Amino acid sequence: MNLEHLPLRILMITYRRAVELDLDKEFIQWIRKEILERESEKEERSKKANL
C-alpha cells in the first residue's frame, strides 16, 4: 500500500482511529513514520520560505 497519495489530514485521522481501535502496532508505526516524514518536509519548506 502506498500512503503518498493520501493527504496529511487523512493520515492523522487514520492514525488516531488505529490507536483508538488498538490495531496492529506495525501498521500504526508505519502511519506514524509517514506523518513524521511529511511534517519534517513541511517544516523544511517553511524554513526555506522564511529565509
Side-chain angles (χ1 to χ4, degrees):
M1 181 190 284
N2 187 355
L3 299 177
E4 292 179 13
H5 69 281
L6 293 175
L8 181 58
R9 176 178 57 88
I10 300 298
L11 284 176
M12 295 295 283
I13 293 168
T14 304
Y15 175 78
R16 278 188 244 122
R17 290 295 292 157
V19 170
E20 287 174 8
L21 297 172
D22 197 30
L23 297 181
D24 182 53
K25 301 298 181 201
E26 188 176 317
F27 177 69
I28 293 172
Q29 290 294 69
W30 184 40
I31 295 172
R32 180 177 163 83
K33 180 182 173 204
E34 182 68 26
I35 290 170
L36 291 174
E37 286 176 12
R38 292 198 192 181
E39 287 177 340
S40 175
E41 291 170 2
K42 185 178 177 181
E43 191 174 302
E44 286 179 33
R45 286 191 309 270
S46 177
K47 285 180 182 178
K48 287 180 182 178
N50 289 331
L51 292 179

